[in-house]
Amino acid sequence: MKGKVWLVGAGPGDPTLLTVKALYCIREADVIVYDRLVSKEILQQAPSSCQMVNVGKLPNFHPIPQDDINETLVNFAQQGYNVVRLKGGDPYVFGRGGEEADALVEHGIEFEVVPGISSAIGGLAYAGIPVTHRDHASSFHVVTGHLKQGKDPLDWSLYSKLDGTLVILMGMSQIENICQQLVDGGKATDTPAAVVRYASRDNQQVVTGTVTDIAQRVQEEGITSPALIVIGGVAQKHATLSFKATCRQISELAQLQLDLA
Ligand code: SAH
């Protein structure tokens, strides 16, 4: 009999942002195929019999080709295993979850998606940045700075015309170029901007500035990927809405008896 695959979001970093459903899936998995950004504490929730497969970047920094990851999922499921494909944030927000689902359908493998908290929204919240705010942004736009090879580059001047919050993932290697194109396209030079690295983790770092100087500030602070770039009025909220997150362990939370009656 064929197994089944669960495409599961692990949330942005703080392990207790995992959903209850994701925790159930992990605790019952035969195989977990996981990415680099999934926290250790989440992986430790797997049963001791579970086979753990790391498909994050290899030690020589070469990513594992997506076709190989798809094949791994298909092969394990065809052998009858229940497979959890554990991905950072939400499985369908970049990170190629859609491509993995396509491969499963193509091979007639049953699957389910367990959404997760995306870094694009929840990660920003941990940095004191509400993705919308009536005084600053009535829409938000989540954009990748890294397109599939062979695709035409994004026309950033179009994004510079939008009033909403711009959240750019995988954009750190291009930050200077992106900000320059936004300004060239008409974005006001004093538009607030922020960069959040390791959002919601213990080692979260935040740098703020404007669309004109954020690239320079990031360089001065030595901030690199993985990070979120935020451009728009909400970025200045970091100064007043930052908070210290309560730190708990999953095992501690999972034992709580919640009485909501
Ligand atoms: N599916 C994920 C995004 C995958 S793409 C999600 O929903 O969050 C990977 C990119 O996401 C990283 O390069 C970075 O830009 C961003 N990212 C993911 N987790 C992050 C975190 N904890 N802090 C900052 N950026 C993060």
Side-chain angles (χ1 to χ4, degrees), residues 24-225:
Y24 275 115
C25 292
I26 291 168
R27 290 199 170 156
E28 286 172 14
D30 299 319
V31 181
I32 295 185
V33 179
Y34 64 97
D35 281 341
R36 190 173 58 105
L37 285 175
V38 176
S39 87
K40 233 193 229 140
E41 203 201 322
I42 290 178
L43 298 175
Q44 283 164 356
Q45 301 306 311
S48 53
S49 56
C50 183
Q51 199 172 326
M52 307 298 287
V53 183
N54 179 357
V55 292
K57 290 203 171 117
L58 299 167
N60 55 5
F61 298 109
H62 283 302
I64 296 187
Q66 187 60 44
D67 284 349
D68 292 1
I69 297 176
N70 297 353
E71 205 180 305
T72 302
L73 298 177
V74 168
N75 283 344
F76 277 120
Q78 281 174 338
Q79 290 169 52
Y81 293 115
N82 285 328
V83 183
V84 165
R85 171 68 175 115
L86 197 53
K87 302 168 82 72
D90 181 274
Y92 276 176
V93 176
F94 303 123
R96 307 183 184 183
E99 291 167 52
E100 292 172 6
D102 285 341
L104 297 170
V105 170
E106 207 175 292
H107 289 85
I109 288 163
E110 195 188 343
F111 77 98
E112 224 179 288
V113 180
V114 181
I117 295 178
S118 178
S119 64
I121 300 173
L124 290 189
Y126 264 61
I129 302 174
V131 78
T132 69
H133 187 297
R134 287 209 305 174
D135 294 339
H136 300 286
S138 50
S139 65
F140 62 89
H141 312 272
V142 181
V143 190
T144 175
H146 188 92
L147 293 177
K148 192 171 178 178
Q149 265 191 348
K151 284 237 173 201
D152 286 342
L154 287 182
D155 182 355
W156 288 99
S157 67
L158 293 177
Y159 292 96
S160 64
K161 312 263 182 314
L162 301 171
D163 265 345
T165 308
L166 280 183
V167 185
I168 302 158
L169 276 65
M170 295 179 279
M172 287 304 278
S173 62
Q174 289 292 317
I175 185 167
E176 198 175 342
N177 179 25
I178 290 170
C179 289
Q180 186 61 53
Q181 289 195 51
L182 287 172
V183 169
D184 291 348
K187 192 65 82 200
T189 52
D190 60 354
T191 307
V195 166
V196 187
R197 185 176 198 230
Y198 285 132
S200 84
R201 294 178 183 234
D202 295 342
N203 53 349
Q204 169 176 297
Q205 289 171 287
V206 184
V207 176
T208 55
T210 65
V211 68
T212 319
D213 66 10
I214 193 75
Q216 167 83 26
R217 289 186 182 225
V218 157
Q219 202 181 19
E220 283 162 8
E221 300 286 331
I223 307 267
T224 52
S225 162

Side-chain angles (χ1 to χ4, degrees), residues 220-259:
E220 283 162 8
E221 300 286 331
I223 307 267
T224 52
S225 162
L228 304 152
I229 305 169
V230 196
I231 298 181
V234 293
Q236 66 193 297
K237 287 292 186 183
H238 164 72
T240 49
L241 298 187
S242 290
F243 57 90
K244 187 162 174 15
T246 32
C247 202
R248 289 197 180 262
Q249 303 273 306
I250 296 179
S251 50
E252 198 185 321
L253 290 184
Q255 280 160 18
L256 286 180
Q257 297 289 320
L258 293 180
D259 183 5

